[in-house]
Amino acid sequence: MKPRSESLELRILRSLNARMELTPNDQTYFSNLEKGFRGEQEFDKWIESLANSRLILHDLLLEYNHTLLQVDSFVIDMDKVYLFEVKNFEGDYYIEEDRWHSLSKNEIKNPLLQLQRNESLMRRLLQDLGFPFPIMSYVIFINPEFHLYNCPPNLSIIFPTQLQRFIGRLAKSPSILKDTHSNLAAKLLSTHLTDSPYSRLPKYHFDQLKKGIPCPHCKRMYSSIIKNALVCHSCNTLEPYHHAILRNVEEYRMLFPHLKLTTNQNTYLV
Ligand SMILES: [Zn+2]
């Protein structure tokens, strides 16, 4: 019922990355967002099969009691709802008491704490909305290159090697939806916030950005035009000129929503 799309924050960072030097911190933040988004898309393919008899809402951003609640995937089943938090971690990690570390000893945020917090917020929200469904919540590790040492079997985690069976079991369980379920979905969609007020974008200014039209695939600037097409010499992409111009105008509007598009900014386009 709600497809996933890139956040405005991710789209702006992609554009800035092609047009300015991001600081190492911003670069890390940006690549984590990209990686997270790819992981979520991967999980979407897995749960597609559930859509016949369940409602799926991707990437919900809700507010409850002045607290933000972000849900990667939310599935409404006949007698319960599922809340999925997708992690695209790669490499070896271990748990020591409640703390999570990478093998290089860096402590990372415990994803189960985030899940518990989200589940508790969602429970109160559903109660307030008048849909007190039981909630099943899971952290999904989507990357087959992920391993977790010292993990007890009773945690709400689905590993890549369990995903097939987990989704298979879910798909087999009967689910008949009624109006209540659609009403719940509609209610959640109507309270969905479009953009996270907590985005961490670097400061940028028109004058400081590299001008030109970046190739949509490799993000390097086009350097030549043949007939009516722009040509990327790095990855051999050909794009009709008018198409690239429109794309650039859109990008300009996204980066500078408060600036007027005038002919003075032509330097931006060519
Ligand atoms: Zn290219």
Side-chain angles (χ1 to χ4, degrees):
M1 279 192 79
K2 181 182 177 300
R4 183 182 309 284
S5 56
E6 288 106 328
S7 65
L8 180 63
E9 187 183 28
L10 176 55
R11 284 184 289 133
I12 290 182
L13 279 169
R14 272 185 195 158
S15 162
L16 293 181
N17 189 44
R19 296 182 184 276
M20 66 187 262
E21 199 72 47
L22 295 180
T23 63
N25 269 348
D26 289 337
Q27 193 68 53
T28 309
Y29 180 63
F30 169 51
S31 53
N32 284 341
L33 279 187
E34 281 283 19
K35 204 169 174 190
F37 183 69
R38 280 200 305 275
E40 289 159 14
Q41 280 181 312
E42 196 58 42
F43 183 60
D44 294 351
K45 287 188 228 152
W46 279 96
I47 56 173
E48 237 172 39
S49 60
L50 304 176
N52 295 334
S53 49
R54 288 160 188 87
L55 299 172
I56 305 178
L57 291 89
H58 293 300
D59 207 13
L60 276 179
L61 182 66
L62 308 166
E63 198 180 344
Y64 181 78
N65 261 355
H66 309 291
T67 313
L68 281 183
L69 162 61
Q70 208 223 316
V71 182
D72 290 338
S73 292
F74 187 76
V75 176
I76 303 175
D77 197 302
M78 181 166 69
D79 51 6
K80 51 180 137 1
V81 296
Y82 289 87
L83 198 153
F84 296 113
E85 176 69 36
V86 182
K87 295 287 178 205
N88 194 3
F89 291 2
E90 211 176 320
D92 298 315
Y93 291 79
Y94 66 93
I95 306 180
E96 210 168 51
E97 283 158 25
D98 257 352
R99 299 209 174 122
W100 289 48
H101 305 263
S102 65
L103 271 201
S104 52
K105 308 277 181 216
N106 289 326
E107 183 169 350
I108 58 158
K109 266 196 227 161
N110 177 345
L112 290 171
L113 292 183
Q114 190 189 350
L115 187 76
Q116 282 156 18
R117 169 193 171 277
N118 280 353
E119 185 184 313
S120 147
L121 284 169
M122 183 58 88
R123 181 168 301 115
R124 285 179 281 159
L125 177 66
L126 292 184
Q127 240 145 35
D128 279 10
L129 294 175
F131 301 92
F133 284 106
I135 303 175
M136 307 290 288
S137 58
Y138 295 94
V139 173
I140 305 285
F141 287 105
I142 196 77
N143 197 315
E145 294 295 323
F146 172 77
H147 185 76
L148 184 62
Y149 290 99
N150 299 352
C151 179
N154 57 345
L155 301 182
S156 305
I157 294 178
I158 305 296
F159 290 105
T161 44
Q162 299 174 307
L163 207 46
Q164 177 101 42
R165 282 172 289 145
F166 176 76
I167 302 291
R169 270 199 305 273
L170 234 168
K172 263 190 222 150
S173 66
S175 176
I176 298 159
L177 298 188
K178 296 189 179 142
D179 286 348
T180 332
H181 302 95
S182 327
N183 293 345
L184 167 59
K187 198 90 194 170
L188 290 175
L189 287 178
S190 71
T191 47
H192 170 74
L193 308 166
T194 37
D195 280 304
S196 168
Y198 291 133
S199 74
R200 287 182 17 184
L201 288 172
K203 287 207 178 349
Y204 57 93
H205 189 270
F206 181 79
D207 296 333
Q208 116 209 52
L209 299 186
K210 219 192 277 174
K211 308 304 187 292
I213 303 183
C215 158
H217 295 111
C218 70
K219 311 293 179 201
R220 299 216 172 88
M221 296 296 171
Y222 283 125
S223 51
S224 64
I225 177 161
I226 296 175
K227 289 189 183 159
N228 290 326
L230 291 165
V231 186
C232 175
H233 292 294
S234 306
C235 73
N236 294 326
T237 291
L238 270 179
E239 185 181 10
Y241 183 70
H242 69 274
H243 186 270
I245 293 285
L246 285 180
R247 202 162 51 74
N248 231 32
V249 169
E250 283 307 310
E251 190 184 333
Y252 177 86
R253 288 207 176 112
M254 171 185 76
L255 289 174
F256 305 103
H258 305 300
L259 288 184
K260 250 192 171 160
L261 187 65
T262 68
T263 43
N264 292 343
Q265 264 102 40
N266 272 350
T267 42
Y268 186 76
L269 300 172
V270 290

